[in-house]
Structure formats: structure tokens, C-alpha cells
Amino acid sequence: MTALTMAQRRADFETMLAHADRARQVVSKFWTTEEGTPGKPLASLARDVAELCASWAAAAKRAKEGHPPSDQVKNLATLVAARCLQGLSERDPEGYLAPILKMVDYKLDGRDLGMDPAERIGWILSALGDAACCHHRGYDPSRVIIVYRLRTLAFEAVCAALAAERGLWQEEES
């Protein structure tokens, strides 16, 4: 098992979330062209999540075979988190990071550590599906539920980036 303390894990999460937010600020100017095409932001997010999941599966397999995985998974996880943060920052420019940090206290569990690759992919896809169903106004007319769902997907992506950075591709042996 990992020797990281909860304080270290929280600090690492805060650092990775800040990294994702910096990435959001850099690449969000390229995403403005998507706003005029209905469904494009959601489709782009889904594409990035699919690439993250496929890359996670491949990296976990390479790691299990003793080959060093690349930084691609961490970069894709950061991109997914950045896309979520962009949507959140548009709705609440001043306070979009604090609620995600609060999630560390009750939702972190082992998400930032090693877990079965299929389980991690399942958590990420589940969060995407929850966010996707809120993208039409009939389901979420007040646009409140989408905020929570984007936070959850951002949280999962940051946890995946941390696990990738730590090289924890699979569940740790006891």
C-alpha cells in the first residue's frame, strides 16, 4: 500500500486541480469556436473521455507487462478536467474550484491511488454519462444539476491524473 498521508494526498489533489485550471486557461480560447455548434462541447468532452479511458487501459496493460507508460494518460486526464472546469467557470467565475476541493473530504477514497483499470474507467464513464444527460434543458432547466455533474467528472479526471502521475495503474497488492 502507498505510504502517502491524507494531508499529502489532499495537497497533491490541490496541486493537480490547479494544474488543470491553468491548462483550462491556456486552451479554453480554442474552445470558443465550439460554442456556436449545438452539442459540440459535449461531443468534444465525450471524445476526450473516450481517449482517456482507452489510453488508461493501454497504459495499465503496458505497466503490467513491465513497460513504462507515457505521460499521455495524465495529459488526457488533465484535458478532461480542464474542459469540465471551463464549463464550471462559465457558470461561476469566482467559486468553481472550492466545491471540487470539498469533494476530497468525502469522496476521495482510493480514487487518486491504484485501482482496477476497469473500475477507474467505469467511474469516469459513469460521471460522463451523468453530465451528458444534463446537457438538455428539459432534464435540467435550472442548469443546477449539470454543475454538480461536471464537478464529479472533473474530480474523477483529477484523480486519474494523480494516479497516472504516481504510476499507480492497477490496484495495489496488499
Side-chain angles (χ1 to χ4, degrees), residues 143-167:
R143 309 303 283 162
V144 172
I145 299 170
I146 186 72
V147 169
Y148 175 74
R149 303 289 170 83
L150 284 175
R151 284 180 193 147
T152 300
L153 182 53
F155 179 86
E156 293 294 344
V158 169
C159 287
L162 282 169
E165 182 176 74
R166 294 173 178 149

Side-chain angles (χ1 to χ4, degrees), residues 91-171:
R91 289 167 174 79
D92 182 8
E94 300 300 317
Y96 62 99
L97 294 176
I100 298 170
L101 288 171
K102 286 181 184 175
M103 294 172 82
V104 172
D105 297 330
Y106 64 91
K107 198 169 184 170
L108 191 59
D109 294 329
R111 299 274 220 299
D112 61 325
L113 303 174
M115 68 170 50
D116 180 84
E119 183 179 356
R120 180 168 313 278
I121 291 167
W123 281 113
I124 294 168
L125 289 174
S126 177
L128 172 64
D130 288 345
C133 73
C134 297
H135 268 272
H136 60 86
R137 292 202 182 275
Y139 179 86
D140 187 17
S142 65
R143 309 303 283 162
V144 172
I145 299 170
I146 186 72
V147 169
Y148 175 74
R149 303 289 170 83
L150 284 175
R151 284 180 193 147
T152 300
L153 182 53
F155 179 86
E156 293 294 344
V158 169
C159 287
L162 282 169
E165 182 176 74
R166 294 173 178 149
L168 300 174
W169 301 102
Q170 335 247 353
E171 199 164 6

